[in-house]
Amino acid sequence: MVVCPLCGRELDGSRAVIWEWHQGDEVRQAYAPFMEDLRTSPERLSHPECYAERFGLRAVLELVAEHDQKERRGFWKMWYEIESLKKRLAASERE
Ligand SMILES: [Zn+2]
């Protein structure tokens, strides 16, 4: 059972979390839309609503925006790769 340190209640694996880890001396935070999809074992996991209560809604929204930007870059990269494959395929069909 994973418990949120801010409220002491259990975290639901199918819901969003804020996760924290150490990078050198710095503590980093990130938003994850589904706890069960995390491929690491974070040092600390909390409910977004508890994190917002402690650090403010803006802090949570910034982490969500960072996550969305990363996803967006991923989708663009995928789109670009598909387009280059299509071009290569069309060129090889012309040969
Ligand atoms: Zn909580």
Side-chain angles (χ1 to χ4, degrees):
M1 184 171 103
V2 187
V3 168
C4 168
L6 301 174
C7 70
R9 282 181 290 127
E10 193 178 350
L11 288 150
D12 178 350
S14 65
R15 308 276 313 256
V17 285
I18 303 295
W19 58 291
E20 294 174 69
W21 71 98
H22 271 88
Q23 198 170 58
D25 291 338
E26 235 183 296
V27 181
R28 306 284 317 258
Q29 293 87 15
Y31 167 84
F34 309 102
M35 183 175 88
E36 57 201 10
D37 287 358
L38 278 175
R39 270 159 281 163
T40 56
S41 318
E43 294 163 31
R44 199 170 125 118
L45 290 155
S46 32
H47 294 116
E49 61 271 31
C50 298
Y51 195 87
E53 227 169 80
R54 177 73 65 91
F55 301 103
L57 181 60
R58 184 182 286 268
V60 172
L61 292 177
E62 269 168 26
L63 294 176
V64 173
E66 258 173 49
H67 170 268
D68 289 348
Q69 290 286 0
K70 220 170 99 192
E71 290 275 285
R72 188 190 199 188
R73 282 195 297 273
F75 285 131
W76 272 106
K77 202 171 157 246
M78 216 189 301
W79 176 84
Y80 180 79
E81 279 163 12
I82 289 169
E83 286 307 305
S84 0
L85 278 174
K86 280 203 271 184
K87 274 180 207 149
R88 263 199 280 160
L89 190 63
S92 72
E93 277 168 356
R94 265 183 264 121
E95 278 167 15

